[in-house]
Amino acid sequence: MVIEETEGFSPQMFEVFMIPWKLIDRAQVPGHGGEMCLYQRGGEFTIRLAAGELMNSRAHGSEDALAELACARIADRPCPRVLIGGLGMGYTTAAALRRLRADAQVLVAELVPAVVKWNRGPLGEFAGHPLQDARVTVCEADVALVLQAEQRAYDAILLDVDNGPEGFSRKGNDWLYARAGLAAAFAALRPAGVLAVWSAGPDRAFTKRLHQAGFTVNEVRVRARASNKGGRHTIWLAVRGS
Ligand SMILES: C[S@@+](CC[C@H](N)C(=O)[O-])C[C@H]1O[C@@H](n2cnc3c(N)ncnc32)[C@H](O)[C@@H]1O
């Protein structure tokens, strides 16, 4: 069969689509009881939950943008501290490291220990092995607990733990996007610090809650893929006053 190049799909991509997905590993999601699975198809990986695909190695434009937009605002600060939740495939962490100074400290909170193991193994090469960077510390824990542990501690907090405020991976994550979670994030930020939140789409009620929590809010629509391609995702940049 000869396949012509059509609508952004190359013949090589059709060949890849014909390869069946292979299950590489599975893990329980703490506090949820659900299962998270890592699949591979050729050189492509996907992380899936029962509810659907959480993340694919081919599309990370908006995950990169989450870090780029937030870290651009704090890049000149001495010894910046950044909290990232969660790790996923490491794209947000890698993008933050590219934007931050050599004296930065990046704490990555990841709920599922297997995700950290996958990033130290087969997923590591996709984002350029960000966990090997000396500025990074990994904490295998719920980011909700990590951000409540310290006050006025971070210059930026980057949250991409779910599909957005109306998440599907874990009921317990609702707290992060609710009033109590936003108050905790506000308290954990240093003056003029940035809370950046990724979402699959807009959410007016969440924007309102950010304002009510005391943040100055900027909502940005970004493309899912690099080179201005793919669907549009939403990123909130919420700045704590001085
Ligand atoms: C969509 S992925 C993140 C993708 C990431 N931005 C990237 O660039 O690859 C969501 C990640 O958050 C983790 N996660 C979910 N809930 C969490 C929580 N409460 N605390 C920390 N990590 C969490 C998941 O296990 C998963 O690794």
Side-chain angles (χ1 to χ4, degrees), residues 42-102:
E44 180 186 358
F45 283 81
T46 178
I47 298 177
R48 287 189 200 153
L49 296 158
E53 185 175 70
L54 182 66
M55 161 119 220
N56 185 294
S57 58
R58 285 173 49 220
H60 55 90
S62 59
E63 287 81 1
D64 294 348
L66 175 70
E68 285 159 7
L69 292 167
C71 293
R73 294 178 176 237
I74 61 155
D76 294 335
R77 296 189 196 178
C79 305
R81 281 191 81 202
V82 175
L83 171 62
I84 299 177
L87 176 61
M89 294 189 176
Y91 291 117
T92 299
T93 302
L97 292 167
R98 285 195 293 274
R99 208 59 171 84
L100 292 169
R101 301 156 44 120

Side-chain angles (χ1 to χ4, degrees), residues 132-147:
Q132 292 178 7
D133 191 301
R135 294 171 288 175
V136 173
T137 304
V138 179
C139 178
E140 293 180 358
D142 187 339
V143 69
L145 298 178
V146 177
L147 72 79

Side-chain angles (χ1 to χ4, degrees), residues 29 36 47 54-55 60 63-64 66 84-94 109-112 115 119 139 141-144 159-163 169-170 172-173 176 198:
V29 178
M36 186 176 275
I47 298 177
L54 182 66
M55 161 119 220
H60 55 90
E63 287 81 1
D64 294 348
L66 175 70
I84 299 177
L87 176 61
M89 294 189 176
Y91 291 117
T92 299
T93 302
E110 171 52 52
L111 182 70
V112 183
V115 170
N119 274 267
C139 178
D142 187 339
V143 69
L159 281 187
D160 179 14
V161 293
D162 219 307
N163 225 24
S169 82
R170 185 171 169 266
N173 283 345
L176 282 165
W198 187 99

Side-chain angles (χ1 to χ4, degrees), residues 172-197:
N173 283 345
D174 290 353
W175 180 89
L176 282 165
Y177 304 98
R179 282 179 181 219
L182 296 181
F186 190 95
L189 283 168
R190 291 174 174 161
V194 188
L195 169 66
V197 182

